[in-house]
Amino acid sequence: MPKTKNLEDLLVDELKDLLDAEKQLTRALPKVARAASAPELKEAIEEHLEQTKGQVQRLEQVFEQLGKPARGKPCAAMKGLVTEAQELMEEDLPEELLDVGLIAGSQKIEHYEMAGYGTVRTLALTLGHKEVAQLLEETLREEEAADKKLTAIAKKYVNVRAMNVGEQEEKEEE
Ligand code: ZN
Ligand code: FE
Ligand code: FE
Ligand code: FE
């Protein structure tokens, strides 16, 4: 009979999912940064790419502390979110609108990560893994900050800039 999973195994499963999700992002974010036009947005994505590489290392540290091999398990949800972002980039949108879409896709990704890290942080605390919980909390804070930054960039610049894009084209045709 297969061994029954316990709470610790569930924590490790969730961590494997996050490790794969972060690794997918280290491959996808360079393309998203290249597709972005607004310099502030491009920089924010590049900055978060570097953070993401650190998050992979932080997860590897977590596995080490738990005495488990740092092996990912394919995260289908992140694959779907990345696919949606790729589909948007293939849409041939004016750059102002593409930036809005890239923020939308990126914020969905950040929220998925926030859900994942919040859960494993709390599970680690329940299981008494204080240092692990601390590491996961650090990443959670980074994801939250990245999400807030995207909202700020949208409000200050990217959404405003995109507001009249379709209208202007109509006027030119008249
Ligand atoms: Zn444990
Ligand atoms: Fe991340
Ligand atoms: Fe997942
Ligand atoms: Fe992130």
Side-chain angles (χ1 to χ4, degrees), residues 100-142:
V100 173
L102 292 176
I103 289 180
S106 299
Q107 289 197 289
K108 287 178 192 173
I109 287 170
E110 294 316 315
H111 277 251
Y112 178 75
E113 294 186 288
M114 282 154 62
Y117 280 105
T119 298
V120 290
R121 181 271 327 264
T122 303
L123 262 176
L125 274 180
T126 302
L127 289 163
H129 295 295
K130 274 196 192 161
E131 280 177 46
V132 165
Q134 187 53 50
L135 287 166
L136 297 170
E137 175 86 21
E138 275 176 50
T139 297
L140 176 60
R141 290 278 153 79
E142 288 178 355

Side-chain angles (χ1 to χ4, degrees), residues 8 11 66 127 129:
E8 180 109 8
L11 168 62
L66 294 172
L127 289 163
H129 295 295

Side-chain angles (χ1 to χ4, degrees), residues 21-22 25 48 51-52 55 109-110 113 117 139 142-143:
E22 296 289 14
L25 288 174
H48 197 55
Q51 248 174 358
T52 299
Q55 293 171 352
I109 287 170
E110 294 316 315
E113 294 186 288
Y117 280 105
T139 297
E142 288 178 355
E143 310 295 18

Side-chain angles (χ1 to χ4, degrees), residues 8 24 29 31 33 38-39 64 70 77 79-81 91 101 122 126 130 141 143 151 157 160 164:
E8 180 109 8
Q24 286 187 49
L29 287 180
K31 291 173 213 158
E64 167 112 38
K79 192 166 178 237
L81 291 170
E91 254 191 69
T122 303
T126 302
K130 274 196 192 161
R141 290 278 153 79
E143 310 295 18
T151 298
Y157 182 54
V160 185
N164 298 317

